[in-house]
Amino acid sequence: MGLESSKGMDGSVPPENPISLKSMATLPGKSSRAAEAIRALRTHIMARHVSEGHRALAICAASNGSGCTFVATNLAVALSQIGVNTLLLDADLRSPGVAGAFGYKSSKSDLRSALSSATDFNDCIERNIMPNLSILFSSGPASNAQELLASARFKSLIDFCLREFDATIVDTPPANRYSDARRVSTVVGYSLIVAQRNKSHISDIKALAEHLRGDHANVIGTVLNEK
């Protein structure tokens, strides 16, 4: 994995539901190109985003298979490893992948429950999946995904996350199939675009960036994924 930017685990886990992180590039001691690229991305995010008071970032991709979930999960883990109180929010209500990436089955209410009822947001978040890392999972496809994300409840959730966590990383579904990523980015305010080498089309990436900016979301950079 390499990075192209524009301007811009160690620890205990809940014993009743241990996680498997074999697919994560940012495990302690990993020195692969992907791990180093994620850590470089973390440095960029800390210097150009978190340090400036921006607490949330939507990870977006123009097309399926670009590695959006890979970047979102590993970036969240990398941030938690340097002591940043981080929330990873799986806002892919179409084909969620965060739980699978962690090999984890949530015992709590998921994002759909958080947005469709008056459930306390705290009751939907799995705390301390790793030290400094909490996750709000999505457990399966939602037929009314766009309506849930367009609701005032989603804005309230993001406001809650901004208050409770130093950094919130939000995974989103591919933008060429659904408009969800645009809605999420509008509420979050900041986006990072993920592209896949030899797969993503430059025209699609440019179009997504233009759409996001047109929706008043700041695109802080792009990541070129080589995996």
Side-chain angles (χ1 to χ4, degrees):
M1 174 177 173
L3 296 180
E4 290 184 357
S5 177
S6 63
K7 44 179 180 175
M9 270 174 314
D10 181 38
S12 61
V13 298
E16 71 279 5
N17 198 353
I19 57 180
S20 173
L21 296 170
K22 292 180 181 179
S23 64
M24 304 298 289
T26 44
L27 288 169
K30 289 249 184 173
S31 59
S32 65
R33 290 183 62 194
E36 292 307 311
I38 288 290
R39 290 167 186 141
L41 176 61
R42 175 183 65 190
T43 299
H44 173 80
I45 298 300
M46 289 300 298
R48 299 294 185 90
H49 192 67
V50 176
S51 64
E52 295 182 1
H54 308 316
R55 292 177 174 266
L57 182 64
I59 311 300
C60 305
S63 57
N64 191 37
S66 297
C68 194
T69 298
F70 176 84
V71 171
T73 54
N74 279 281
L75 176 58
V77 169
L79 287 168
S80 71
Q81 289 174 335
I82 58 171
V84 178
N85 182 24
T86 304
L87 174 70
L88 174 59
L89 195 166
D90 190 348
D92 187 342
L93 290 167
R94 311 293 182 161
S95 181
V98 170
F102 281 86
Y104 191 88
K105 183 175 176 59
S106 176
S107 61
K108 296 200 172 189
S109 299
D110 68 348
L111 177 62
R112 179 167 46 180
S113 298
L115 299 181
S116 60
S117 68
T119 305
D120 190 314
F121 292 141
N122 278 307
D123 293 336
C124 301
I125 294 173
E126 294 278 1
R127 301 274 181 170
N128 298 315
I129 291 290
M130 294 169 51
N132 303 309
L133 179 65
S134 300
I135 302 179
L136 177 47
F137 290 98
S138 290
S139 61
S143 59
N144 60 338
Q146 182 59 220
E147 289 76 15
L148 291 174
L149 295 173
S151 67
R153 181 83 173 160
F154 180 66
K155 175 65 166 60
S156 296
L157 171 62
I158 295 301
D159 288 342
F160 168 85
C161 296
L162 294 175
R163 293 193 302 269
E164 293 290 314
F165 298 93
D166 297 328
T168 297
I169 304 300
V170 188
D171 190 25
T172 66
N176 68 339
R177 299 184 63 185
Y178 312 104
S179 61
D180 302 7
R182 292 174 60 179
R183 165 61 182 172
V184 171
S185 298
T186 299
V187 176
V188 168
Y190 298 89
S191 302
L192 178 73
I193 296 177
V194 180
Q196 178 76 31
R197 183 181 291 276
N198 298 325
K199 182 174 182 179
S200 300
H201 297 287
I202 293 176
S203 59
D204 292 340
I205 298 167
K206 288 182 176 179
L208 174 56
E210 290 173 0
H211 288 316
L212 293 173
R213 294 185 179 109
D215 294 336
H216 306 292
N218 295 290
V219 179
I220 70 165
T222 60
V223 172
L224 182 62
N225 187 13
E226 297 179 347
K227 286 184 68 64

